[in-house]
Amino acid sequence: MGTAGIQRTTYDAVQRSKGAPFVTRRPAYFSPAAAAQDESNARGGFGEFAQTLLPLEYTDWTEESAAHVHACYIGDWSSLHKVVVRGPQALDFLAWLGMRDLSRFEHGRIKHHVQLDGHGWVASEGILCRLSEEEFLYTAGSGDWLMWQLGEGGWDAEFEDVSPERFIFGVQGPASLATLEKLTGESLRDIGFSRSRMSRLAGVPVRLLRTGISGELGYEIHGPAEQANEIWSATVETGRQFGISQLGLRSQPVQHIEAGIATNGLDYLPASILTPGAPTQFRTGRPGGSYVPENGITDYFRKPAELGWGFRKGVPGRDFLGRDALVADAAGGEPRRILVGLHWNTADVVGILAASLGEGDLPDPMELPRGRGPVFDQVLVDGLPVGVSTGRTVSVNLRSTISLCVIDESRAAPGTDVVVVWGRPGTAQREVRATVTALPFKPDRRRTDTSAL
């Protein structure tokens, strides 16, 4: 049995055993490139991304989390759910399910597909790529909401979960273009931002997508799981002359915060968790942090405008799931919150990091470069709650501790001083001074003009 067959067999076993106790709930499920990655995983550490076990570090997190700014990295996003939707009404269904306009959706184009529930909360979001006239690929932390909605609606379309048969590698950073052009042996400068096309790497047909999860020039490689090891190794070898690093799971989420991108399941909880379309790949459990919700689980949900995904000119007239709720919100004039960045006071952060070397009660520890799982921290001004901070991370590129924050619009001006409460309720909480900043934290280079390089 080849790599693809092993991936499918193990993936199906994982899906069947979701509710079992830990020891028996599933076999270990690795990336299809696990053999190639293991050659550099000298520390032997693994972490879980969705249901997949990935190396935590190849060298160290400080080097790996800076690679996308100074050179480039190759990282493994094969854990993402990969769902193909095809059929005569596939486009109609996707246009109804997502809030973005798909009326001008050319072949090879990529769209950020934000999916809402009936209350206007974000239920799922990911990348939608048009493969042909009636075939689309949705990649996200979870495609369960899409698959459930398609099954409920009676559309003339079908889905296929192709997750174990395909890999997704990210190659991001200023040296990504040179690395991939050397590897493919062809110019890739015709691939504009949010576009894709087919190419060949190491003789293997792959789809190259120009994406921007790092806030830098970057690409995704989508290809068959059977050749994942070969392509990972070839990319690493070719990229050596350009300074490529292999990106471990420990550093993977850092770039999202620097780029001002909220992550499903980390910076907010998807509204789909209350439905049969709940994301089966996400871990269950209570979020960490100092924030105490007043209205239950929905306080962890977000409207699209709160994450920077709203409409500039008001809610459009076309029909999509959740539209009526967004219209009602606008008509009601409910208080608006928007997404900003926070720079945390270095002295206050150092005090928490060094607390175990001093006296007194110990606050919750700070993992470096950031914690695992969703953490929501209360943000105050003059002792009153004004927002919620998520994604606290140490950025070696900025030499600062940063986070995202959904905050009252009246407090969102850059330079505003706030306080973040660090630590779970009942622990030795600390107050950390912070300053509001505009997003992204560093210049946005996703749309770099490659014709000038």
Side-chain angles (χ1 to χ4, degrees):
M1 184 184 296
T3 300
I6 294 172
Q7 291 294 112
R8 169 54 72 178
T9 299
T10 310
Y11 182 82
D12 289 344
V14 170
Q15 297 299 99
R16 288 193 303 268
S17 307
K18 296 187 192 85
F22 176 70
V23 175
T24 58
R25 74 181 173 96
R26 63 168 179 82
Y29 183 67
F30 294 89
S31 164
Q37 294 167 355
D38 190 57
E39 295 178 9
S40 301
N41 186 18
R43 302 188 183 190
F46 290 90
E48 190 176 54
F49 175 6
Q51 68 275 354
T52 308
L53 295 171
L54 294 172
L56 284 172
E57 289 178 284
Y58 293 96
T59 52
D60 65 77
W61 67 266
T62 57
E63 175 186 320
E64 293 171 25
S65 63
H68 63 287
V69 173
H70 303 295
C72 69
Y73 67 67
I74 177 171
D76 196 335
W77 272 264
S78 301
S79 305
L80 293 176
H81 214 164
K82 299 174 280 291
V83 181
V84 172
V85 182
R86 60 172 69 92
Q89 289 189 307
L91 179 60
D92 293 337
F93 164 70
L94 292 166
W96 170 82
L97 183 67
M99 59 182 281
R100 295 296 175 211
D101 185 5
L102 300 185
S103 61
R104 290 175 292 182
F105 195 12
E106 304 92 348
H107 295 185
R109 184 76 184 269
I110 303 164
K111 294 274 191 178
H112 183 209
H113 205 242
V114 181
Q115 303 164 11
L116 311 181
D117 73 353
H119 301 286
W121 303 111
V122 177
S124 182
E125 60 88 18
I127 296 298
L128 186 67
C129 181
R130 188 166 197 170
L131 304 178
S132 65
E133 187 65 19
E134 295 185 353
E135 187 170 53
F136 304 81
L137 174 67
Y138 179 63
T139 61
S142 170
D144 291 283
W145 173 258
L146 180 152
M147 294 188 294
W148 178 58
Q149 288 291 345
L150 182 55
E152 292 289 297
W155 302 86
D156 187 7
E158 62 181 9
F159 70 81
E160 180 183 3
D161 183 355
V162 298
S163 299
E165 281 81 27
R166 301 189 184 185
F167 69 78
I168 299 177
F169 299 153
V171 181
Q172 297 271 327
S176 59
L177 178 62
T179 297
L180 291 176
E181 285 190 331
K182 176 90 172 182
L183 189 58
T184 60
E186 63 173 328
S187 172
L188 303 176
R189 298 168 194 235
D190 60 307
I191 307 178
F193 182 67
S194 290
R195 300 294 195 277
S196 75
R197 69 166 170 83
M198 296 299 293
S199 184
R200 299 182 75 88
L201 274 70
V204 178
V206 298
R207 179 172 291 273
L208 297 179
L209 295 75
R210 185 169 168 190
T211 59
I213 59 170
S214 66
E216 303 287 339
L217 172 65
Y219 301 83
E220 288 182 11
I221 309 170
H222 291 214
E226 198 67 57
Q227 283 79 39
N229 285 299
E230 178 183 352
I231 291 177
W232 181 278
S233 296
T235 306
V236 172
E237 183 59 33
T238 301
R240 289 191 196 281
Q241 69 183 94
F242 305 108
I244 198 169
S245 295
Q246 295 175 81
L247 185 70
L249 183 60
R250 187 175 180 184
S251 299
Q252 256 184 332
V254 172
Q255 61 192 311
H256 299 154
I257 304 302
E258 294 175 340
I261 300 172
T263 300
N264 191 356
L266 292 178
D267 298 299
Y268 68 96
L269 299 187
S272 57
I273 61 177
L274 301 180
T275 75
T280 55
Q281 296 92 331
F282 290 7
R283 276 190 173 274
T284 58
R286 190 178 184 85
S290 62
Y291 177 70
V292 179
E294 296 181 358
N295 305 300
I297 192 68
T298 59
D299 281 354
Y300 295 111
F301 299 168
R302 297 288 180 264
K303 296 294 176 72
E306 294 178 311
L307 301 176
W309 303 332
F311 298 105
R312 295 180 181 177
K313 300 180 180 180
V315 182
R318 56 188 168 76
D319 183 40
F320 59 89
L321 180 59
R323 179 188 179 276
D324 291 346
L326 296 187
V327 171
D329 288 347
E334 65 176 35
R336 278 176 50 87
R337 300 190 304 178
I338 62 176
L339 189 69
V340 299
L342 295 181
H343 275 285
W344 293 35
N345 181 274
T346 298
D348 293 349
V349 171
V350 169
I352 295 171
L353 293 173
S356 60
L357 303 177
E359 299 179 351
D361 295 334
L362 294 177
D364 277 348
M366 276 189 176
E367 295 183 60
L368 299 178
R370 59 173 287 173
R372 297 296 308 280
V375 176
F376 295 76
D377 291 316
Q378 185 69 69
V379 176
L380 309 172
V381 171
D382 297 329
L384 299 176
V386 297
V388 182
S389 168
T390 60
R392 189 277 320 162
T393 188
V394 171
S395 167
V396 296
N397 296 305
L398 302 171
R399 299 301 175 98
S400 179
T401 300
I402 59 176
S403 70
L404 302 180
C405 180
V406 172
I407 196 169
D408 294 348
E409 195 171 32
S410 62
R411 305 289 187 175
T416 301
D417 292 328
V418 300
V419 168
V420 181
V421 179
W422 175 260
R424 295 161 297 157
T427 66
Q429 292 181 325
R430 299 283 185 94
E431 291 191 347
V432 180
R433 292 166 290 174
T435 304
V436 172
T437 187
L439 293 173
F441 284 98
K442 59 182 184 59
D444 184 354
R445 302 184 180 94
R446 295 174 298 169
R447 293 172 175 81
T448 296
D449 182 3
T450 58
S451 66
L453 298 180

